[in-house]
Every structure is written in structure tokens, then in C-alpha cells.
Amino acid sequence: MKDMNSLQNIDWDSLTFSLTPTRSMYMATCNAGEEWDPGKLVPFGDISFSPAAGVLNYGQGVFEGMKAFRTVKDRIVLFRPEKNAVRAAGSAQRVCIPPVPTEMFLDAVKSVVKDNADYIPPFGKGSLYIRPVIWGSGPILGVAPAPSYMFLVYVSPVGPYFKSGVKSLHLKITNQYHRAAPKGTGGHKIVGNYAVSLYPQQLAKKSGFDEAIYLNAADERFIEEVGSANIFILKDDVLTTPSLDGSILPGVTRASVLKIAREKLNLQIRQRNVSVHELLNADEVFCTGTAVVVTPVGMITTNLHSQTINNNEMGPITTQLREMLLGIQQETHEDPFGWICPLDE
Ligand SMILES: *Cc1c(COP(=O)(O)O)cnc(C)c1O
């Protein structure tokens, strides 16, 4: 058994949210209509399949994003990994991919993390980002589900998602593009959702914004989310986030923040439509996601004007939520909800 405390010779302080190749990845395959074959660890590296692979031609693919942490207790933990397993199965079903059973998903994730434990940053220096993907890998010419599938889990040590660290974000509300339609696929982590967000994201970044905020496609009266993070507003002691109506991704961080807010900070919580007016007049605004954790929003620009939120600083509730969530994940804070999943050594 490998020593779980040994570390790679990596400059942990300069980690960003980018890919660092590691030792190994997990790979399993499945033929349409059959069970998944048992998977195994293979060296991390390129894979090959037909140019006619379903995922390459018709986007038949889903992914997940989760993190492993080296905690203050000097052990390695995952955060609510069963939530990702269940969500992945739901995404898979939506695009006719045979779902990976929860136990298989969790075993795969744990085995990759263990085999690459020396790539997990030291306590407080970042985390090991885990990327499970499930793809239609077999060849298919007409538009139809692929004849075979591949489930891969790879990992990469990462630092902060936004280069600015926890500096407040400046977001642009876009009504040039929508991310997800009613009854579409926005509520699932399906690869095609992200291809279509690249151009609006690029436009926002070129104009000096950190990201775009999407409005609901039906009538553009309500905010939905940021390209890969959920959004929250605080007004007085009420914390509100758009309700999950099918076009918003049900974030694990979103659900966790709602629970901490209600049970630990005694805030009232609401899940409902949130108008642009309410967003611009909030006391605090922040976004949540595995990659961004809890990141404050300090300025929001519409087609007409820019509005500063909380003097462009991280507000007190945003700070508390961020610290409690990170504290639970890194075990500097007790875990009152049983969210932490230690890797048994
Ligand atoms: C993954 C994702 C999120 C955040 O979900 P978490 O489970 O908190 O990481 C939010 N919005 C979109 C569009 C996403 O893809």
C-alpha cells in the first residue's frame, strides 16, 4: 500500500485551475443493453476510439466535478460523493447512456484518488479535482445512441478557479444568449451544455467581465445561473436562489449552502424565481460550485448600467458560508451533517 502522506514534487503555491497530469485514471466499458464491465486503473494518457464515436459526433456524453481534500486531520476526504453519483446517473439517462451504478461510481472515484494520493495538495493549498466522464464511445453514423460506452475518472491537483482568488467577481447579465431552454438539458451535466456556453463566456471575458449571468429563456425576467456555478442573493436575513425548474443545474454546493444557511446561520431560505431588479438590489450576491466554492459577486453590469454590490467586497454572510463550507471540507470545522467521506487507508 502506498504511503498516503507522501507528496509529489509540485509547486503547490502556484497551482491554478488547470490540468496537471497524474499517474492513473479509471476506465470501464459497457455495450449498449448490457451491464458495465468491471473497470480498472490504467496509466493516465491519451485514449483512442473511432472518429464516428457517438460523443464526438452527437455529443452523447456527461461529466461530473468533485474534489478530494487533504484535511487538517491529515487524512483524505471526499465531499458528498454519492450526490455526484446519483446526478451522473440522471444526466446519463437523459442522453441514453447506460447509468453507472452508484457503488461502481464511488469505488471508481475512490480508487483513482487513492492511487494518485501524492498529487493531492497539502492541507490548505488546494484540492484534487476529480472528473468522471461517461461517453458514447462506439461508432454510430446515423443519429442514434452509440453501441458502446466508456466511463473514465481522471484527476488533477488544482488551486483557485478564478485567478483573482477570492476577489469579488464582476458579472455581465447577458440577453444575447441563453444557456438552457425550458424542458431542455440545463438541469443535467451534459457535455453539449458547455460547448454552447463558450462563446458567451468569451464575449464576457473580452469585455473585461469574469463571467456571464444567464436569464431564463422564456421571457428573460429572471436570473438562472452563471456558466458553471449557481447564484444566490441575500436581502436582510433571507437567502434566495433560483428554484430548480429543469434549466438550472442542481449543484451539490448549492444544496449544501442552503442547508448551512438555514441550520447554522439561522437565515430564511427561499428557492423561487429571482428578478434582475432583486439581484441588483441585494445586500450580498455570491455564486457556488465545486470549483468556485463560494465566490462573492462585487459588481453586476446590465445593458444599461453597472451596479456595485456590498462595496465590491465579500459580505459577512458570504464570508461565513464560505468559511463554514471550506471548514467542513478541510475538517477544521466539525461536520454536523455527515457530508465528509474519508478514504479508508
Ligand atoms: C457543475 C455546475 C454547477 C455547480 O454544481 P456543484 O455540484 O456545486 O459543483 C452549477 N452550474 C452548472 C451549469 C454546472 O455545470
Side-chain angles (χ1 to χ4, degrees), residues 112-168:
V112 185
V113 171
K114 275 188 197 169
D115 197 52
N116 295 280
D118 46 339
Y119 288 89
I120 308 177
F123 167 71
K125 300 277 185 195
S127 55
L128 189 73
Y129 187 76
I130 305 164
R131 170 54 59 82
V133 297
I134 321 173
W135 292 332
S137 49
I140 187 85
L141 199 55
V143 177
S148 57
Y149 295 85
M150 188 178 281
F151 169 41
L152 290 177
V153 183
Y154 64 90
V155 295
S156 173
V158 295
Y161 190 75
F162 291 106
K163 274 186 240 137
S164 52
V166 287
K167 208 180 105 251
S168 294

Side-chain angles (χ1 to χ4, degrees), residues 2-15:
K2 211 176 355 276
D3 175 8
M4 300 289 263
N5 291 319
S6 74
L7 288 178
Q8 286 282 323
N9 186 14
I10 289 175
D11 180 6
W12 305 107
D13 288 308
S14 53
L15 280 180

Side-chain angles (χ1 to χ4, degrees), residues 87 179 189 194 225 227-230 249 251-253 288-290:
R87 189 170 67 188
R179 192 190 89 87
K189 267 182 132 70
Y194 302 86
E225 58 176 315
S228 55
N230 296 113
L249 200 287
V252 177
T253 320
T288 66
T290 297

Side-chain angles (χ1 to χ4, degrees), residues 42 58 68 85 99 110 135 137 167 169 210 214 218 221 225 228-229 255 259 265 276 287 291 315 340 344:
V42 297
Y58 303 123
K110 288 175 190 169
W135 292 332
S137 49
K167 208 180 105 251
L169 302 178
D210 294 295
Y214 292 95
R221 286 170 58 214
E225 58 176 315
S228 55
K259 196 157 174 83
L265 303 189
V276 173
C287 50
I340 287 306
D344 32 87

